[in-house]
Amino acid sequence: MRHQFVLADREDPHPDLLIEKGRQGNGVGDWVPAMKHMYLAKWIEGTREMRKRFPDRVLVDLFCGPGRIQVEGETRTRLGGAQIAWLHSQLDDTAPFTKCVTSDIDQARSDACAQRLRALGAPVEPLCGAAADVVDRAALLVPPTALCLAYLDPYSLEFLSWDVITRLAQLKHVDFAVHFSTSDLRRNVKMDFEREGKRFDKVAPGWRKEIDVQSFFRGDADDEFFDYWCRQIESLGFTISQRFPLIRTKKNAPLYHLVFFSRHASPVRVWGDVAQGVNRELPF
């Protein structure tokens, strides 16, 4: 039997609270619901049988935003990433997340996300602060035997701290869905290398020794950085899905790679199925 996928949509229970409208304030790209949220939702639906094996199932979102987005050119608003994850985990109500640990560096945004999750019936544990500062508290909120999804969607690559990944990687059962800002890396990697900046040192410690200087002349230094980061992930015992979609702007400029990794083959396989194309339906 084939499940007809429909991305969750709800009216905003708190229209008076903050809404994410992107850096320019005129709305986020339509790729946010069409790709980022769609991939996340399909993966969550596709792994529900796996989640049933665990009495505790935890979502960790350390860049949660206000829990509501407005797409450029639209007047209505849509669900944020944590809300999408929560609602799609409730498919047939057999394996919903038993806890949502959320955080944002801005208190008002963190509070807004938590209020919107609670309005949807989600059990939420909100935190506030930079991801690297709250990750220890977040990890302690995950029961030792829980299955955890770490959903990391930072604005800029520099906030994808290696310390955040290594701390969450200490959890016994954890999968990662990471938005890796390719555009930020391509714009700034050469300048960061030449000026000995610190923007990317916390993302991939030791990267300077691994980059071939000639790659800056070839124009593939960003690829070498990404490859090094992936090798570091694998050194933690994870398998990275070979399907990491590249999200582009309407002008075809690269924005993000969507990277998924796990210590187990089944969730990686499901991500591979999901990431084959936006129109692919998962058999249930």
Side-chain angles (χ1 to χ4, degrees), residues 18-39:
L18 288 173
I19 296 169
E20 177 58 62
K21 296 184 179 181
R23 292 186 177 184
Q24 305 301 319
N26 58 348
V28 302
D30 58 4
W31 47 267
V32 174
M35 295 188 71
K36 281 170 57 173
H37 290 172
M38 183 276 293
Y39 285 133

Side-chain angles (χ1 to χ4, degrees), residues 6-275:
V6 178
L7 190 66
D9 192 15
R10 297 287 190 280
E11 292 293 325
D12 189 356
H14 294 289
D16 54 312
L17 298 180
L18 288 173
I19 296 169
E20 177 58 62
K21 296 184 179 181
R23 292 186 177 184
Q24 305 301 319
N26 58 348
V28 302
D30 58 4
W31 47 267
V32 174
M35 295 188 71
K36 281 170 57 173
H37 290 172
M38 183 276 293
Y39 285 133
L40 173 66
K42 281 194 172 185
W43 181 85
I44 287 173
E45 288 193 8
T47 53
R48 75 176 184 276
E49 291 299 325
M50 302 173 205
R51 289 197 306 279
K52 289 179 182 179
R53 305 170 193 165
F54 295 83
D56 296 299
R57 302 167 294 270
V58 181
L59 170 71
V60 173
D61 181 353
L62 300 184
F63 304 91
C64 67
R68 200 79 189 177
I69 64 170
Q70 186 168 25
V71 174
E72 184 178 1
E74 294 185 351
T75 56
R76 73 184 187 100
T77 63
R78 300 172 182 249
L79 295 161
Q83 287 70 20
I84 287 287
W86 162 249
L87 287 171
H88 282 273
S89 78
Q90 290 187 297
L91 186 70
D92 75 17
D93 203 31
T94 58
F97 289 116
T98 55
K99 185 184 293 185
C100 299
V101 180
T102 59
S103 182
D104 194 274
I105 197 169
D106 180 81
Q107 186 71 61
R109 293 162 66 87
S110 178
D111 290 345
C113 184
Q115 289 186 56
R116 287 176 167 127
L117 278 169
R118 291 191 183 107
L120 294 172
V124 58
E125 294 272 4
L127 303 171
C128 180
D133 295 335
V134 302
V135 65
D136 281 330
R137 284 184 285 159
L140 291 173
L141 291 170
V142 180
T145 58
L147 177 62
C148 177
L149 170 62
Y151 179 63
L152 304 178
D153 182 17
Y155 262 130
S156 299
L157 183 60
E158 65 183 294
F159 299 121
L160 186 61
S161 169
W162 184 247
D163 289 343
V164 170
I165 291 176
T166 55
R167 179 62 183 93
L168 293 175
Q170 294 174 25
L171 299 172
K172 187 175 183 180
H173 305 288
V174 60
D175 303 319
F176 285 83
V178 176
H179 297 165
F180 187 98
S181 181
T182 307
S183 61
D184 188 10
L185 179 62
R186 289 186 177 182
R187 285 194 308 268
N188 297 299
V189 65
K190 186 174 185 291
M191 180 175 63
D192 209 57
F193 184 87
E194 291 177 340
R195 300 181 182 180
E196 296 187 356
K198 304 295 183 182
R199 296 187 72 244
F200 300 144
D201 288 359
K202 292 182 179 180
V203 179
W207 71 276
R208 298 173 188 280
K209 297 178 182 179
E210 300 295 324
I211 299 292
D212 179 3
V213 175
Q214 294 301 315
S215 67
F216 294 103
F217 299 98
R218 295 194 306 266
D220 61 353
D222 55 322
D223 292 332
E224 290 207 3
F225 184 104
F226 182 67
D227 289 345
Y228 172 66
W229 181 81
C230 287
R231 293 196 301 272
Q232 295 302 101
I233 295 294
E234 291 171 338
S235 74
L236 298 175
F238 290 96
T239 296
I240 301 176
S241 172
Q242 293 305 297
R243 296 189 182 275
F244 29 82
L246 177 60
I247 293 178
R248 296 178 178 271
T249 67
K250 292 180 179 179
K251 296 182 179 180
N252 206 38
L255 283 174
Y256 290 91
H257 274 105
L258 304 184
V259 186
F260 181 87
F261 47 97
S262 174
R263 292 190 177 99
H264 301 279
S266 294
V268 173
R269 174 185 55 77
V270 173
W271 181 264
D273 289 341
V274 166

